[in-house]
Amino acid sequence: MSRKLVVANWKMNLTLEDSKDLIQKVANSVSFHAYVVIAAPAAYLHPLKDFIVGKKNIHLAAQNVHHEEFGAFTGELSAPMLASLGIEYCIIGHSERRIHFKEKNEILAQKVSQLFKHGICPIYCVGETLEQREKGKTYDVVKKQIKEGLFHLKDEEIEQIIIAYEPVWAIGTGKNATPEQAEEVHAFIRKYITQKYGEEVADEIPLLYGGSITAQNAKSLFEKPSIDGGLVGGASLNAEDFIQIIKANFPDK
Ligand code: PGA
């Protein structure tokens, strides 16, 4: 199977009507062969699941899940709940959750396990802060996030995961990593997973880049051999920009 995909992370934006309008435009404009995942606000997942029926290039993700299966956790959403809606993907460990909600690798590892238990594919985010990069710690940070968040998984689980490398300094800042910087870390991640799980498993895993992807810079990023696609925040809220980004990874035939 191809490793290519493009994921939109809408975060806490858009109304339900805006969401449907955007999805409709994307579904109409990109190739039938494109693979697009929309991480929508939790409240929209159910109506959007109905709305995407027949739109074969569009899939849905949640932006977060609780690490327990059920119980007294007011306001939270569990993996079995997402599964009961037929949601296929879920973002885990986005830097905004690591920073604002203090989510640690140990909890993220539990979330990842919950998702696999209920047949949902995690999109696991890693990435260093500017300070960590400037101190030369990028690889150490990424290694720790992967080891503690994912290395408890079995071969048949990890080969189904999606990993997004999102340097914190590039998210929402307009300052993307250069294709060379991103490629370097992506190649490192694949090598690190190869060391633990072997090449056959590591080769299955899509590695996405995220952080200030735009219609202008997407192509140069996606052309790199270790960059399989993107996790797109701001630019995924505008239909024209997002369509251009998808087309950069899935050119019209
Ligand atoms: P951005 O966000 O594209 O707005 O930088 C990316 C993300 O947070 O996933």
Side-chain angles (χ1 to χ4, degrees):
M1 220 190 94
S2 165
R3 294 194 309 232
K4 285 207 297 182
L5 75 157
V6 177
V7 183
N9 180 9
W10 286 350
K11 310 188 180 182
M12 199 174 71
N13 294 294
L14 304 176
T15 63
L16 179 58
E17 286 319 296
D18 294 338
S19 307
K20 289 182 178 172
D21 187 50
L22 217 158
I23 288 179
Q24 191 64 55
K25 285 184 179 143
V26 170
N28 289 348
S29 313
V30 305
S31 152
F32 211 55
H33 306 283
Y35 202 101
V36 180
V37 178
I38 308 274
Y44 304 162
L45 290 172
H46 190 207
L48 291 181
K49 184 70 191 166
D50 288 340
F51 187 70
I52 65 167
V53 170
K55 298 177 179 63
K56 296 237 179 304
N57 42 19
I58 309 285
H59 305 260
L60 287 177
Q63 297 176 6
N64 180 38
V65 72
H66 197 267
H67 59 279
E68 296 286 351
E69 202 155 22
F70 55 85
F73 301 103
T74 302
E76 291 294 320
L77 211 60
S78 68
M81 291 175 187
L82 295 175
S84 73
L85 297 180
I87 301 304
E88 294 172 86
Y89 298 92
C90 181
I91 297 178
I92 292 294
H94 189 280
S95 64
E96 287 153 17
R97 297 220 52 99
R98 291 178 185 267
I99 295 166
H100 304 313
F101 301 95
K102 311 273 179 273
E103 293 187 2
K104 299 271 176 270
N105 293 331
E106 194 191 4
I107 290 291
L108 301 175
Q110 290 179 43
K111 293 187 180 210
V112 165
S113 291
Q114 272 297 316
L115 292 175
F116 277 123
K117 183 170 175 195
H118 294 280
I120 300 167
C121 172
I123 302 171
Y124 184 73
C125 301
V126 299
E128 80 288 3
T129 62
L130 186 59
E131 196 192 343
Q132 290 164 334
R133 174 163 280 262
E134 283 171 347
K135 284 190 179 149
K137 294 203 168 134
T138 299
Y139 290 158
D140 288 345
V141 170
V142 167
K143 228 167 136 169
K144 187 167 157 55
Q145 289 167 332
I146 292 181
K147 185 176 175 200
E148 295 180 359
L150 301 181
F151 277 6
H152 63 292
L153 296 172
K154 300 188 199 96
D155 287 19
E156 59 272 26
E157 290 172 328
I158 199 159
E159 70 184 7
Q160 288 177 52
I161 207 156
I162 297 169
I163 296 177
Y165 168 58
E166 297 206 305
V168 179
W169 49 270
I171 296 176
T173 58
K175 190 177 182 303
N176 62 289
T178 64
E180 291 69 31
Q181 284 173 320
E183 170 68 19
E184 218 177 11
V185 180
H186 282 222
F188 170 79
I189 292 173
R190 203 174 300 285
K191 201 168 134 214
Y192 186 49
I193 296 174
T194 304
Q195 283 167 5
K196 163 94 177 157
Y197 289 96
E199 206 174 312
E200 219 173 291
V201 170
D203 275 354
E204 292 290 314
I205 301 173
L207 299 182
L208 310 179
Y209 166 76
S212 296
I213 297 183
T214 62
Q216 288 71 41
N217 64 25
K219 189 163 177 286
S220 61
L221 286 158
F222 298 160
E223 270 169 4
K224 290 290 178 191
S226 305
I227 303 181
D228 301 309
L231 178 51
V232 188
S236 73
L237 299 171
N238 175 288
E240 279 86 70
D241 287 346
F242 190 48
I243 289 164
Q244 289 314 311
I245 292 169
I246 297 164
K247 287 187 173 181
N249 212 19
F250 298 94
D252 289 328
K253 294 218 166 129

